[in-house]
Amino acid sequence: ALFRELFTTPQFPDDIEKNRVANSLFLLIKATLATFLIVVFGVIVVAIAGYNVPSLPQRMALSMVFVPIILSFLGIARKGYVTLASHLFVFLLWVATVFSAFLTGGIQAVGYGATIITLILAGLLLGMRSALIYLMLTVISGISMLWADSMGLLPKADLTITPLSIFSTYVMFFVIALQVLFIATDSISKTLNRAQNELRERKQVEDALRKSELEYRMLIEQAPDGIMTLSTDQVIMSANPSAAAILGRSESELIGH
């Protein structure tokens, strides 16, 4: 029950944008956690099968730290701090990808190319200004790693790059990218539906107003009593047939006098 409540997306009906970000954040966190756990499970299965998995203890230790931190972001968002949770989530992913690149070969590493996912998430959750900030940070980190590489300062890779590790990393990127695409298309679809509903409601209001005006005009026209409307300076603006008959003049003769 606790986990079910934790993973239930909070709703903020009074703030449409906050509600949108919360929905996107929870979908992305769920996708990230699911993909991460699947990859870890796959690595364990491969290790049990007898294949060599480099740095398995480090990977397990990383998992034990990564998952609780991500879960804490869900708790923060559920308390209403959706923007803060989004900032923490994007920052954690950015740090993880850049740090991974730093440990596994600099800008030539798979992790550095994965920073594009962070930029997309920043734009989706936090806006273009945040995406530009992360872009500048990514460029600066890349230049720093280029300089460190030229000076021989990059650390020797702690994690051996294998086809399995590359495949696992790409699987995570593909799933997150697919989730981002789903959120973007879903957001566009909801925006279009909301616009169509607003147009439909406006048309219904206009039709009701037009019908009300027609009924009012028919009521005035068929009234047995003389009815006229006057402007503030006592000029006749309209007159029904009964008023014209009582005064012995046509409606057109009365209007404007």
Side-chain angles (χ1 to χ4, degrees), residues 56-240:
L56 182 59
Q58 293 90 327
R59 294 170 189 260
M60 295 301 100
L62 179 63
S63 304
M64 296 299 292
V65 174
F66 183 81
V67 173
I69 292 177
I70 292 292
L71 290 176
S72 70
F73 298 160
L74 295 177
I76 293 172
R78 287 193 59 80
K79 292 182 179 180
Y81 302 106
V82 177
T83 302
L84 174 60
S86 299
H87 275 291
L88 293 173
F89 176 62
V90 173
F91 181 72
L92 175 65
L93 291 183
W94 183 83
V95 170
T97 52
V98 172
F99 187 67
S100 172
F102 180 75
L103 293 178
T104 56
I107 62 170
Q108 297 179 356
V110 176
Y112 187 76
T115 53
I116 189 172
I117 298 293
T118 306
L119 303 182
I120 295 173
L121 295 183
L124 184 65
L125 297 174
L126 303 170
M128 287 305 301
R129 179 178 298 179
S130 294
L132 290 174
I133 291 174
Y134 276 100
L135 173 61
M136 290 187 291
L137 291 174
T138 301
V139 172
I140 292 172
S141 66
I143 293 174
S144 301
M145 284 187 281
L146 278 174
W147 175 81
D149 188 31
S150 66
M151 300 296 293
L153 299 177
L154 279 180
K156 185 178 180 180
D158 293 332
L159 300 176
T160 303
I161 300 176
T162 65
L164 174 63
S165 63
I166 294 176
F167 173 75
S168 302
T169 304
Y170 279 136
V171 167
M172 293 183 67
F173 297 160
F174 293 155
V175 173
I176 294 175
L178 183 63
Q179 191 69 36
V180 170
L181 179 62
F182 169 77
I183 292 173
T185 54
D186 183 64
S187 178
I188 293 173
S189 177
K190 288 181 179 178
T191 300
L192 290 176
N193 289 336
R194 186 162 53 248
Q196 290 177 351
N197 290 335
E198 290 176 355
L199 289 174
R200 190 180 302 109
E201 291 174 359
R202 182 179 302 176
K203 187 177 184 302
Q204 290 174 350
V205 171
E206 292 176 350
D207 291 342
L209 180 60
R210 191 177 300 109
K211 181 179 179 182
S212 178
E213 290 176 348
L214 180 60
E215 291 176 349
Y216 174 77
R217 187 178 302 112
M218 292 178 60
L219 180 64
I220 296 298
E221 292 290 330
Q222 297 174 4
D225 299 323
I227 301 174
M228 294 187 299
T229 58
L230 305 177
S231 64
T232 55
D233 53 357
Q234 302 303 308
V235 175
I236 299 175
M237 303 297 295
S238 66
N240 69 344

